[in-house]
Amino acid sequence: MRLAVYLPLLLPLLTPLGVRLLAERCEPRLGTWLLSLCALVLGAASTLSLGLLALAGLVRVPRLAALGHWAPLTARDDPAAVPVSLAAGLLLGGATLMAVRFLLRRARTLAAAALDAACMPTHDGLVVVDDEAPDAFALPGLPGRVVVSTGMLHTLEPAEHRILLAHERAHLTSHHYAFVAAAQLGAAANPLLRPLARAVTYTIERWADESAAAATGDRRQVARAVGKAALAARHADRTPRGALGFLGRGGKGTPGPVPRRVAALLAPPRGPRPLLTAVTLAVPAAALLAAGEAALDLHRLLESLGIR
């Protein structure tokens, strides 16, 4: 086990350099897939590397080595020093704990959202709530619901209602909550991947914006509807956990990615970027190959020490 084991731990340090470029330059659907895949694979690969480093430290302990019927590993056999293995073990425990905690919380959130959706009376998947605060969101479920307040309907013109519904239904039909969950799971295992998770929350909104533009055939009208809704709802943030809101705000009173979304809608649509896609895919591929090579190196090393 040589330097390859450290590569999956180093690659996440480079991700912030290309996240903004990928989110802005790539077609939103493709960008969402690439960012989610990178976050999930890099999170898994870095966790695997931590496990290999921790295991290399455990087999240095004579009693543990005796349980496996092999000679204890020494510094001459493997470059992973004891302090490195100890730190890797602590980080591995923290990564595992955070990933399990995230999965449990996400499962509870989605279950609660599905229950809320099932209890909502609806016509064609649309639920209108009597609330003067402008709000709209997609609530995942079996099936999901599009929830719109009367305040939001009064804010937008009738022609813009179609844009709103097309946007929210795109969240449900394309299962955007699954992409968000995948990226956030990778970030839970490795906090260095949080920029990727934040970028996915932006690209799914861009994906839904483009779906609304394709449904209406007017990108400028979609941009105007997004901007108008953002101004009306700038002091409101009632989107429940597990739902995907029309504005995609990060918190109460903050515009979040709305100005970037409006600018992207006013620009020509993005096409495929083969070179950018290839470079992006090379990052998780390199992490997986490095982790796999490190695992094989450790396996061969233990076999040479007498493991059966």
Side-chain angles (χ1 to χ4, degrees):
M1 185 169 62
R2 299 298 182 230
L3 297 180
V5 73
Y6 297 102
L7 185 59
L9 303 175
L10 297 177
L11 284 176
L13 295 173
L14 304 177
T15 54
L17 301 177
V19 166
R20 184 67 178 260
L21 177 66
L22 184 63
E24 296 291 351
R25 298 291 182 88
C26 199
E27 191 272 330
R29 184 196 306 265
L30 178 60
T32 300
W33 275 98
L34 292 176
L35 288 167
S36 302
L37 178 65
C38 284
L40 194 59
V41 171
L42 288 176
S46 61
T47 303
L48 176 59
S49 293
L50 291 175
L52 293 172
L53 288 170
L55 179 60
L58 289 176
V59 297
R60 292 180 187 275
V61 181
R63 290 186 178 180
L64 294 177
L67 294 176
H69 303 291
W70 65 82
L73 207 61
T74 64
R76 183 182 62 184
D77 301 315
D78 190 83
V82 173
V84 173
S85 296
L86 180 60
L90 294 175
L91 291 174
L92 176 64
T96 303
L97 179 62
M98 294 302 295
V100 171
R101 181 184 178 189
F102 169 80
L103 287 174
L104 292 176
R105 291 178 61 182
R106 176 62 62 171
R108 288 197 298 266
T109 299
L110 290 178
L115 181 61
D116 289 343
C119 295
M120 289 181 175
T122 177
H123 173 68
D124 196 23
L126 175 64
V127 178
V128 179
V129 295
D130 187 10
D131 189 346
E132 289 304 312
D135 201 6
F137 53 87
L139 194 64
L142 297 172
R145 300 284 190 269
V146 174
V147 182
V148 184
S149 71
T150 54
M152 180 63 80
L153 293 178
H154 294 155
T155 297
L156 301 178
E157 299 174 4
E160 295 168 335
H161 294 172
R162 183 185 175 194
I163 295 173
L164 174 67
L165 296 179
H167 178 103
E168 297 303 340
R169 283 172 175 156
H171 282 320
L172 295 177
T173 57
S174 300
H175 306 287
H176 288 170
Y177 55 88
F179 292 98
V180 173
Q184 290 180 347
L185 176 59
N190 189 337
L192 294 175
L193 299 173
R194 287 176 181 172
L196 271 73
R198 288 194 293 268
V200 170
T201 63
Y202 167 73
T203 57
I204 62 166
E205 295 300 332
R206 285 284 300 114
W207 183 349
D209 287 342
E210 293 295 337
S211 297
T216 60
D218 190 339
R219 299 174 62 83
R220 188 171 294 275
Q221 188 180 36
V222 176
R224 184 166 55 249
V226 171
K228 184 187 295 187
L231 288 175
R234 62 186 180 275
H235 297 304
D237 188 15
R238 302 187 180 187
T239 304
R241 294 180 63 86
L244 298 175
F246 180 55
L247 301 179
R249 294 185 303 275
K252 184 176 181 179
T254 62
V258 169
R260 293 163 58 195
R261 289 168 55 193
V262 170
L265 285 166
L266 294 177
R270 298 291 183 182
R273 304 273 179 165
L275 179 60
L276 184 59
T277 301
V279 172
T280 303
L281 290 175
V283 175
L288 284 179
L289 288 174
E293 181 63 25
L296 288 175
D297 284 347
L298 181 60
H299 177 68
R300 286 193 292 263
L301 181 60
L302 293 179
E303 278 189 333
S304 69
L305 296 176
I307 188 172
R308 296 292 184 267

